[in-house]
Amino acid sequence: MAEPDSILVNDWHPVVELEFLATRDRFATVLLGVPIEIAGSGSGEVRVVRRDTGAALPVHIEYGHVFTSTGEPTRDVVHFPECHEADRICVAGGSIAVHVSGLRAVENFLDMGHFPFVHTDYLGVEPYTEVEPYQVTVTEENEILATRCRFFQPLASPSADGGMMVDYEYKVCRPYTVCLYKSNPIEPERWDFIVLFLQPVSEERCIAHPYLAYLPHNLDNETNRWFMQLIFSQDKPILENQLPKRLPLDPRAEIPARSDASSLAYRRWLIAQGVTYGAIPAAA
Ligand SMILES: [Fe+2]
């Protein structure tokens, strides 16, 4: 197994949902191959330590999760303004362990082509299977941005009451952090927002930590959480059946049908940043 890349070691990663931590005194997990323990207290104080050496690790609380780092973070957790807008309903979507590289989970999150087949009658339905061309750019902040994505969805969100063409934008902010903006059925000039943080447990295991910032119409936290868990429970077996479990970065490694524009851009972007953890590096 490869050593984790310094770009990942020296960054923040989510390791437990706050509400879950509140139901117990301590919780053990693994981050980038390092066994860690998170301890909460009634006063809200959170401590994270390595289980192998006992060393204390840094703590950051945001987006309904405890974040930590096994190195020395050189940048903050990504700032998402939508999650701080007062009228939105924000809730953690429920953490789900997946036996696959977190990079595979990011790629799957970017892929609209699977909607009619994996999320049938929710995020897609036959015969509306075509992914129309969309735009992919890398921003000045070195994020991958996919815009003008459109897809027909029978039940796009908990507040939809029928099928509609849905506009999407996707952004990959960090190697293991991806988010989407989705047109809202009631307030079309604003976007519903979902971010998916992947905790790299090992190169072939991750824990998905979604966080949702929906516009408030007819919605409540329980419904939003239920909908996210329903959708992700459909993705989990598909992801776990992918072979190899690490993401091949060589553009010729997989059949182009699934390697659409954002997937190719993501693989190129990972190569450019020297990310190898959770990946099968491209041949030199
Ligand atoms: Fe999916």
Side-chain angles (χ1 to χ4, degrees):
M1 285 282 172
E3 281 296 305
D5 311 300
S6 60
I7 188 177
L8 300 174
V9 171
N10 296 317
D11 200 357
W12 295 99
H13 302 275
V15 287
V16 70
E17 194 186 322
L18 273 178
E19 273 196 36
F20 180 77
L21 184 62
T23 65
R24 60 200 62 220
D25 292 338
R26 51 197 65 239
F27 175 68
T29 185
V30 176
L31 173 61
L32 293 166
V34 176
I36 64 170
E37 182 178 88
I38 306 109
S41 73
S43 61
E45 194 192 331
V46 173
R47 269 174 54 80
V48 181
V49 296
R50 290 180 69 122
R51 280 185 278 144
D52 51 356
T53 65
L57 297 178
V59 173
H60 178 85
I61 310 264
E62 199 170 3
Y63 308 123
H65 289 84
V66 176
F67 290 77
T68 192
S69 172
T70 53
E72 292 175 10
T74 51
R75 47 187 179 176
D76 293 334
V77 173
V78 185
H79 179 64
F80 297 110
E82 293 77 13
C83 298
H84 300 278
E85 289 175 6
D87 67 335
R88 286 182 185 256
I89 303 199
C90 295
V91 68
S95 305
I96 303 173
V98 191
H99 188 183
V100 79
S101 162
L103 306 178
R104 284 277 197 200
V106 170
E107 186 188 55
N108 177 68
F109 193 79
L110 293 169
D111 169 41
M112 287 179 290
H114 77 284
F115 286 169
F117 310 107
V118 177
H119 307 297
T120 314
D121 295 335
Y122 293 97
L123 304 186
V125 67
E126 293 185 80
Y128 307 99
T129 57
E130 193 192 347
V131 178
E132 295 173 22
Y134 55 92
Q135 290 218 310
V136 183
T137 53
V138 177
T139 68
E140 282 181 15
E141 290 77 36
N142 195 29
E143 298 170 320
I144 299 173
L145 184 65
T147 56
R148 298 193 209 159
C149 311
R150 282 169 65 75
F151 211 80
F152 178 83
Q153 302 202 320
L155 189 67
S157 88
S159 67
D161 63 0
M164 61 185 276
M165 280 305 290
V166 181
D167 296 302
Y168 270 85
E169 290 189 8
Y170 291 94
K171 199 158 71 174
V172 184
C173 312
R174 303 272 165 94
Y176 283 82
T177 306
V178 60
C179 65
L180 70 80
Y181 304 80
K182 183 169 179 172
S183 56
N184 180 274
I186 295 164
E187 226 179 319
E189 70 280 11
R190 292 175 79 197
W191 303 81
D192 286 317
F193 176 81
I194 297 174
V195 53
L196 188 69
F197 299 102
L198 283 312
Q199 170 189 345
V201 171
S202 69
E203 291 208 79
E204 298 191 350
R205 288 183 185 274
C206 67
I207 301 172
H209 301 277
Y211 189 73
L212 323 170
Y214 276 105
L215 294 162
H217 313 291
N218 312 320
L219 288 180
D220 58 70
N221 282 342
E222 265 131 62
T223 311
N224 295 353
R225 215 176 137 86
W226 165 80
F227 191 73
M228 185 71 217
Q229 290 183 10
L230 171 76
I231 296 298
F232 208 93
S233 69
Q234 296 172 333
D235 284 308
K236 179 178 155 91
I238 305 295
L239 280 166
E240 292 187 334
N241 278 327
Q242 290 192 347
L243 285 174
K245 289 192 174 288
R246 288 179 290 151
L247 180 70
L249 297 184
D250 190 325
R252 294 156 299 183
E254 293 190 339
I255 300 161
R258 288 192 57 83
S259 303
D260 60 7
S262 57
S263 169
L264 284 171
Y266 180 51
R267 293 173 191 217
R268 274 198 301 269
W269 181 84
L270 291 171
I271 293 169
Q273 294 180 86
V275 174
T276 62
Y277 194 80
I280 297 170

